[in-house]
Amino acid sequence: MKTLFKSAMLWRFLGGFALGGIGVLALHPATAETVPHAPATIAQTAN
């Protein structure tokens, strides 16, 4: 277990994972819609 925590590969993986997570949160637009509209909602807004 100690060798796993001293492994450079593990720390590079965790560092990249953390940077990727921060990038996703920072670059995600605040107005982005995560759930597509239902067809009934689209029909209501078209009128």
Side-chain angles (χ1 to χ4, degrees):
M1 193 64 155
K2 285 184 179 181
T3 56
L4 180 66
F5 285 124
K6 291 183 180 182
S7 169
M9 185 177 161
L10 172 74
W11 291 111
R12 286 181 183 171
F13 172 77
L14 291 177
F17 192 79
L19 285 175
I22 291 169
V24 166
L25 292 175
L27 298 176
H28 185 74
T31 59
E33 294 182 16
T34 56
V35 180
H37 289 295
T41 308
I42 295 171
Q44 289 174 354
T45 58
N47 294 333

Short mmCIF file of all heavy atoms in Angstrom, two decimals:
data_model
loop_
_atom_site.label_atom_id
_atom_site.label_comp_id
_atom_site.label_asym_id
_atom_site.label_seq_id
_atom_site.Cartn_x
_atom_site.Cartn_y
_atom_site.Cartn_z
N MET A 1 0.82 -1.19 0.00
CA MET A 1 0.00 0.00 0.00
C MET A 1 0.86 1.25 0.00
O MET A 1 0.51 2.24 -0.64
CB MET A 1 -0.92 -0.04 1.22
CG MET A 1 -2.01 0.97 1.18
SD MET A 1 -3.12 0.64 -0.18
CE MET A 1 -4.58 1.39 0.38
N LYS A 2 1.98 1.21 0.72
CA LYS A 2 2.87 2.37 0.75
C LYS A 2 3.46 2.66 -0.62
O LYS A 2 3.61 3.82 -1.00
CB LYS A 2 4.00 2.16 1.75
CG LYS A 2 3.58 2.29 3.18
CD LYS A 2 4.79 2.17 4.10
CE LYS A 2 4.38 2.34 5.54
NZ LYS A 2 5.53 2.25 6.44
N THR A 3 3.76 1.59 -1.36
CA THR A 3 4.33 1.82 -2.69
C THR A 3 3.31 2.43 -3.64
O THR A 3 3.66 3.18 -4.53
CB THR A 3 4.86 0.50 -3.29
OG1 THR A 3 3.80 -0.46 -3.32
CG2 THR A 3 6.02 -0.04 -2.49
N LEU A 4 2.04 2.12 -3.43
CA LEU A 4 1.00 2.72 -4.26
C LEU A 4 0.92 4.23 -4.03
O LEU A 4 0.80 5.01 -4.96
CB LEU A 4 -0.36 2.06 -3.96
CG LEU A 4 -1.54 2.60 -4.76
CD1 LEU A 4 -1.36 2.28 -6.24
CD2 LEU A 4 -2.83 2.01 -4.25
N PHE A 5 1.00 4.65 -2.76
CA PHE A 5 0.92 6.09 -2.45
C PHE A 5 2.18 6.84 -2.88
O PHE A 5 2.13 8.04 -3.12
CB PHE A 5 0.67 6.31 -0.96
CG PHE A 5 -0.74 6.01 -0.56
CD1 PHE A 5 -1.01 5.09 0.44
CD2 PHE A 5 -1.80 6.62 -1.19
CE1 PHE A 5 -2.31 4.80 0.81
CE2 PHE A 5 -3.11 6.34 -0.83
CZ PHE A 5 -3.36 5.42 0.18
N LYS A 6 3.28 6.13 -3.02
CA LYS A 6 4.51 6.77 -3.46
C LYS A 6 4.66 6.74 -4.97
O LYS A 6 5.58 7.32 -5.52
CB LYS A 6 5.72 6.08 -2.81
CG LYS A 6 5.80 6.33 -1.32
CD LYS A 6 7.04 5.68 -0.74
CE LYS A 6 7.13 5.94 0.75
NZ LYS A 6 8.34 5.36 1.34
N SER A 7 3.73 6.10 -5.65
CA SER A 7 3.81 5.95 -7.09
C SER A 7 3.55 7.29 -7.78
O SER A 7 2.54 7.95 -7.54
CB SER A 7 2.78 4.92 -7.55
OG SER A 7 2.66 4.93 -8.94
N ALA A 8 4.45 7.67 -8.68
CA ALA A 8 4.29 8.92 -9.43
C ALA A 8 3.11 8.81 -10.39
O ALA A 8 2.42 9.80 -10.64
CB ALA A 8 5.57 9.23 -10.20
N MET A 9 2.87 7.62 -10.90
CA MET A 9 1.76 7.44 -11.83
C MET A 9 0.42 7.72 -11.15
O MET A 9 -0.46 8.36 -11.74
CB MET A 9 1.78 6.02 -12.38
CG MET A 9 0.76 5.74 -13.43
SD MET A 9 0.98 4.07 -14.04
CE MET A 9 -0.60 3.78 -14.77
N LEU A 10 0.27 7.28 -9.91
CA LEU A 10 -0.97 7.54 -9.17
C LEU A 10 -1.18 9.04 -8.98
O LEU A 10 -2.28 9.55 -9.22
CB LEU A 10 -0.94 6.84 -7.82
CG LEU A 10 -2.10 7.19 -6.89
CD1 LEU A 10 -3.38 6.52 -7.37
CD2 LEU A 10 -1.80 6.80 -5.46
N TRP A 11 -0.15 9.75 -8.59
CA TRP A 11 -0.29 11.18 -8.32
C TRP A 11 -0.52 11.97 -9.60
O TRP A 11 -1.25 12.96 -9.62
CB TRP A 11 0.92 11.71 -7.56
CG TRP A 11 0.91 11.15 -6.17
CD1 TRP A 11 1.78 10.25 -5.66
CD2 TRP A 11 -0.06 11.41 -5.14
NE1 TRP A 11 1.42 9.93 -4.37
CE2 TRP A 11 0.31 10.64 -4.02
CE3 TRP A 11 -1.19 12.22 -5.05
CZ2 TRP A 11 -0.42 10.66 -2.84
CZ3 TRP A 11 -1.91 12.24 -3.87
CH2 TRP A 11 -1.52 11.47 -2.79
N ARG A 12 0.08 11.51 -10.71
CA ARG A 12 -0.19 12.17 -12.00
C ARG A 12 -1.64 11.93 -12.41
O ARG A 12 -2.30 12.84 -12.93
CB ARG A 12 0.74 11.64 -13.07
CG ARG A 12 2.15 12.16 -12.92
CD ARG A 12 3.04 11.64 -14.00
NE ARG A 12 4.40 12.07 -13.80
CZ ARG A 12 5.42 11.63 -14.49
NH1 ARG A 12 5.24 10.73 -15.44
NH2 ARG A 12 6.63 12.08 -14.25
N PHE A 13 -2.12 10.73 -12.21
CA PHE A 13 -3.51 10.42 -12.53
C PHE A 13 -4.46 11.27 -11.69
O PHE A 13 -5.40 11.88 -12.21
CB PHE A 13 -3.80 8.94 -12.31
CG PHE A 13 -5.25 8.58 -12.44
CD1 PHE A 13 -5.83 8.47 -13.68
CD2 PHE A 13 -6.03 8.39 -11.31
CE1 PHE A 13 -7.18 8.16 -13.81
CE2 PHE A 13 -7.37 8.07 -11.42
CZ PHE A 13 -7.94 7.96 -12.68
N LEU A 14 -4.23 11.32 -10.40
CA LEU A 14 -5.10 12.10 -9.51
C LEU A 14 -5.02 13.60 -9.83
O LEU A 14 -6.03 14.30 -9.78
CB LEU A 14 -4.75 11.84 -8.05
CG LEU A 14 -5.09 10.44 -7.54
CD1 LEU A 14 -4.61 10.27 -6.10
CD2 LEU A 14 -6.56 10.16 -7.64
N GLY A 15 -3.83 14.07 -10.15
CA GLY A 15 -3.68 15.48 -10.51
C GLY A 15 -4.42 15.81 -11.80
O GLY A 15 -5.09 16.84 -11.90
N GLY A 16 -4.32 14.94 -12.78
CA GLY A 16 -5.04 15.16 -14.03
C GLY A 16 -6.54 15.06 -13.84
O GLY A 16 -7.31 15.82 -14.44
N PHE A 17 -6.96 14.15 -13.00
CA PHE A 17 -8.38 14.00 -12.71
C PHE A 17 -8.92 15.26 -12.03
O PHE A 17 -9.98 15.77 -12.37
CB PHE A 17 -8.59 12.79 -11.80
CG PHE A 17 -10.01 12.36 -11.65
CD1 PHE A 17 -10.63 11.62 -12.64
CD2 PHE A 17 -10.73 12.71 -10.53
CE1 PHE A 17 -11.95 11.22 -12.51
CE2 PHE A 17 -12.05 12.32 -10.38
CZ PHE A 17 -12.66 11.58 -11.37
N ALA A 18 -8.15 15.80 -11.08
CA ALA A 18 -8.57 17.02 -10.38
C ALA A 18 -8.60 18.21 -11.34
O ALA A 18 -9.55 19.00 -11.32
CB ALA A 18 -7.62 17.29 -9.21
N LEU A 19 -7.57 18.35 -12.18
CA LEU A 19 -7.55 19.45 -13.14
C LEU A 19 -8.70 19.34 -14.14
O LEU A 19 -9.31 20.35 -14.51
CB LEU A 19 -6.22 19.49 -13.89
CG LEU A 19 -5.03 20.01 -13.11
CD1 LEU A 19 -3.77 19.87 -13.93
CD2 LEU A 19 -5.25 21.46 -12.72
N GLY A 20 -9.01 18.13 -14.57
CA GLY A 20 -10.12 17.93 -15.47
C GLY A 20 -11.45 18.31 -14.83
O GLY A 20 -12.31 18.94 -15.45
N GLY A 21 -11.61 17.93 -13.56
CA GLY A 21 -12.84 18.29 -12.85
C GLY A 21 -12.99 19.79 -12.68
O GLY A 21 -14.09 20.34 -12.86
N ILE A 22 -11.91 20.45 -12.37
CA ILE A 22 -11.94 21.91 -12.23
C ILE A 22 -12.25 22.55 -13.57
O ILE A 22 -13.03 23.50 -13.66
CB ILE A 22 -10.61 22.42 -11.65
CG1 ILE A 22 -10.48 21.98 -10.19
CG2 ILE A 22 -10.51 23.94 -11.77
CD1 ILE A 22 -9.10 22.20 -9.60
N GLY A 23 -11.66 22.02 -14.63
CA GLY A 23 -11.91 22.56 -15.97
C GLY A 23 -13.36 22.40 -16.38
O GLY A 23 -13.95 23.31 -16.97
N VAL A 24 -13.95 21.26 -16.09
CA VAL A 24 -15.35 21.04 -16.43
C VAL A 24 -16.24 22.03 -15.67
O VAL A 24 -17.16 22.62 -16.24
CB VAL A 24 -15.77 19.59 -16.12
CG1 VAL A 24 -17.26 19.41 -16.14
CG2 VAL A 24 -15.13 18.65 -17.12
N LEU A 25 -15.98 22.22 -14.41
CA LEU A 25 -16.78 23.16 -13.62
C LEU A 25 -16.57 24.60 -14.07
O LEU A 25 -17.51 25.38 -14.12
CB LEU A 25 -16.45 23.02 -12.14
CG LEU A 25 -16.89 21.71 -11.48
CD1 LEU A 25 -16.39 21.65 -10.04
CD2 LEU A 25 -18.39 21.56 -11.54
N ALA A 26 -15.34 24.95 -14.41
CA ALA A 26 -15.03 26.33 -14.78
C ALA A 26 -15.54 26.66 -16.18
O ALA A 26 -15.96 27.80 -16.43
CB ALA A 26 -13.53 26.56 -14.71
N LEU A 27 -15.52 25.71 -17.09
CA LEU A 27 -15.88 25.99 -18.47
C LEU A 27 -17.34 25.69 -18.80
O LEU A 27 -17.79 25.98 -19.90
CB LEU A 27 -14.97 25.20 -19.42
CG LEU A 27 -13.49 25.55 -19.31
CD1 LEU A 27 -12.67 24.63 -20.21
CD2 LEU A 27 -13.24 27.00 -19.68
N HIS A 28 -18.07 25.12 -17.87
CA HIS A 28 -19.47 24.81 -18.10
C HIS A 28 -20.27 26.10 -18.04
O HIS A 28 -20.25 26.79 -17.02
CB HIS A 28 -19.99 23.84 -17.04
CG HIS A 28 -21.39 23.38 -17.27
ND1 HIS A 28 -21.72 22.50 -18.25
CD2 HIS A 28 -22.55 23.71 -16.67
CE1 HIS A 28 -23.03 22.30 -18.22
NE2 HIS A 28 -23.55 23.03 -17.27
N PRO A 29 -20.95 26.46 -19.12
CA PRO A 29 -21.70 27.72 -19.10
C PRO A 29 -22.82 27.71 -18.06
O PRO A 29 -23.48 26.69 -17.87
CB PRO A 29 -22.27 27.84 -20.51
CG PRO A 29 -21.93 26.60 -21.23
CD PRO A 29 -21.06 25.77 -20.37
N ALA A 30 -23.03 28.84 -17.44
CA ALA A 30 -24.05 28.93 -16.39
C ALA A 30 -25.45 28.77 -16.95
O ALA A 30 -26.36 28.34 -16.25
CB ALA A 30 -23.93 30.27 -15.68
N THR A 31 -25.65 29.09 -18.22
CA THR A 31 -26.98 29.02 -18.81
C THR A 31 -27.22 27.72 -19.58
O THR A 31 -28.22 27.60 -20.28
CB THR A 31 -27.21 30.20 -19.77
OG1 THR A 31 -26.22 30.15 -20.79
CG2 THR A 31 -27.14 31.52 -19.02
N ALA A 32 -26.31 26.77 -19.45
CA ALA A 32 -26.46 25.52 -20.20
C ALA A 32 -27.64 24.72 -19.68
O ALA A 32 -27.90 24.65 -18.49
CB ALA A 32 -25.19 24.69 -20.07
N GLU A 33 -28.38 24.15 -20.62
CA GLU A 33 -29.51 23.30 -20.25
C GLU A 33 -29.02 21.85 -20.24
O GLU A 33 -28.48 21.37 -21.23
CB GLU A 33 -30.64 23.47 -21.26
CG GLU A 33 -31.24 24.85 -21.24
CD GLU A 33 -32.39 24.98 -22.22
OE1 GLU A 33 -32.91 23.95 -22.68
OE2 GLU A 33 -32.75 26.12 -22.52
N THR A 34 -29.22 21.18 -19.14
CA THR A 34 -28.73 19.81 -19.02
C THR A 34 -29.81 18.79 -19.36
O THR A 34 -29.50 17.66 -19.63
CB THR A 34 -28.21 19.54 -17.60
OG1 THR A 34 -29.25 19.83 -16.67
CG2 THR A 34 -27.00 20.41 -17.29
N VAL A 35 -31.09 19.20 -19.35
CA VAL A 35 -32.18 18.29 -19.66
C VAL A 35 -32.89 18.80 -20.90
O VAL A 35 -33.35 19.94 -20.92
CB VAL A 35 -33.17 18.20 -18.48
CG1 VAL A 35 -34.31 17.25 -18.80
CG2 VAL A 35 -32.46 17.77 -17.21
N PRO A 36 -32.99 17.99 -21.93
CA PRO A 36 -33.70 18.47 -23.12
C PRO A 36 -35.18 18.65 -22.84
O PRO A 36 -35.76 17.98 -21.99
CB PRO A 36 -33.47 17.35 -24.14
CG PRO A 36 -33.11 16.16 -23.34
CD PRO A 36 -32.48 16.66 -22.07
N HIS A 37 -35.77 19.57 -23.56
CA HIS A 37 -37.19 19.84 -23.38
C HIS A 37 -38.03 18.70 -23.92
O HIS A 37 -37.68 18.06 -24.91
CB HIS A 37 -37.59 21.13 -24.09
CG HIS A 37 -37.06 22.35 -23.42
ND1 HIS A 37 -37.44 22.73 -22.16
CD2 HIS A 37 -36.16 23.27 -23.82
CE1 HIS A 37 -36.82 23.84 -21.83
NE2 HIS A 37 -36.03 24.18 -22.82
N ALA A 38 -39.16 18.48 -23.30
CA ALA A 38 -40.12 17.50 -23.80
C ALA A 38 -40.81 18.09 -25.02
O ALA A 38 -40.94 19.31 -25.13
CB ALA A 38 -41.14 17.18 -22.71
N PRO A 39 -41.27 17.27 -25.95
CA PRO A 39 -41.94 17.80 -27.15
C PRO A 39 -43.13 18.70 -26.83
O PRO A 39 -43.37 19.67 -27.54
CB PRO A 39 -42.39 16.54 -27.88
CG PRO A 39 -41.46 15.48 -27.42
CD PRO A 39 -41.10 15.84 -26.00
N ALA A 40 -43.87 18.42 -25.75
CA ALA A 40 -45.02 19.27 -25.41
C ALA A 40 -44.55 20.66 -25.01
O ALA A 40 -45.20 21.66 -25.34
CB ALA A 40 -45.79 18.62 -24.25
N THR A 41 -43.43 20.77 -24.34
CA THR A 41 -42.90 22.07 -23.94
C THR A 41 -42.46 22.85 -25.15
O THR A 41 -42.68 24.07 -25.26
CB THR A 41 -41.74 21.89 -22.96
OG1 THR A 41 -42.15 21.04 -21.90
CG2 THR A 41 -41.26 23.21 -22.41
N ILE A 42 -41.83 22.18 -26.11
CA ILE A 42 -41.38 22.85 -27.33
C ILE A 42 -42.59 23.35 -28.12
O ILE A 42 -42.58 24.47 -28.63
CB ILE A 42 -40.52 21.89 -28.18
CG1 ILE A 42 -39.23 21.55 -27.43
CG2 ILE A 42 -40.20 22.50 -29.54
CD1 ILE A 42 -38.42 20.46 -28.06
N ALA A 43 -43.66 22.57 -28.18
CA ALA A 43 -44.86 22.98 -28.91
C ALA A 43 -45.51 24.18 -28.25
O ALA A 43 -46.03 25.07 -28.93
CB ALA A 43 -45.85 21.82 -28.97
N GLN A 44 -45.46 24.27 -26.93
CA GLN A 44 -46.05 25.41 -26.22
C GLN A 44 -45.27 26.67 -26.45
O GLN A 44 -45.83 27.75 -26.60
CB GLN A 44 -46.14 25.12 -24.72
CG GLN A 44 -47.17 24.08 -24.35
CD GLN A 44 -47.12 23.72 -22.87
OE1 GLN A 44 -46.24 24.17 -22.16
NE2 GLN A 44 -48.06 22.90 -22.44
N THR A 45 -43.96 26.59 -26.49
CA THR A 45 -43.14 27.79 -26.67
C THR A 45 -43.14 28.26 -28.13
O THR A 45 -42.86 29.41 -28.39
CB THR A 45 -41.70 27.53 -26.22
OG1 THR A 45 -41.16 26.44 -26.95
CG2 THR A 45 -41.63 27.26 -24.73
N ALA A 46 -43.48 27.37 -29.07
CA ALA A 46 -43.50 27.75 -30.48
C ALA A 46 -44.72 28.62 -30.80
O ALA A 46 -44.72 29.37 -31.76
CB ALA A 46 -43.50 26.51 -31.36
N ASN A 47 -45.78 28.52 -30.04
CA ASN A 47 -47.00 29.29 -30.32
C ASN A 47 -46.90 30.70 -29.84
O ASN A 47 -46.43 31.16 -28.98
CB ASN A 47 -48.23 28.63 -29.69
CG ASN A 47 -48.49 27.28 -30.36
OD1 ASN A 47 -48.13 27.10 -31.52
ND2 ASN A 47 -49.08 26.38 -29.63
#
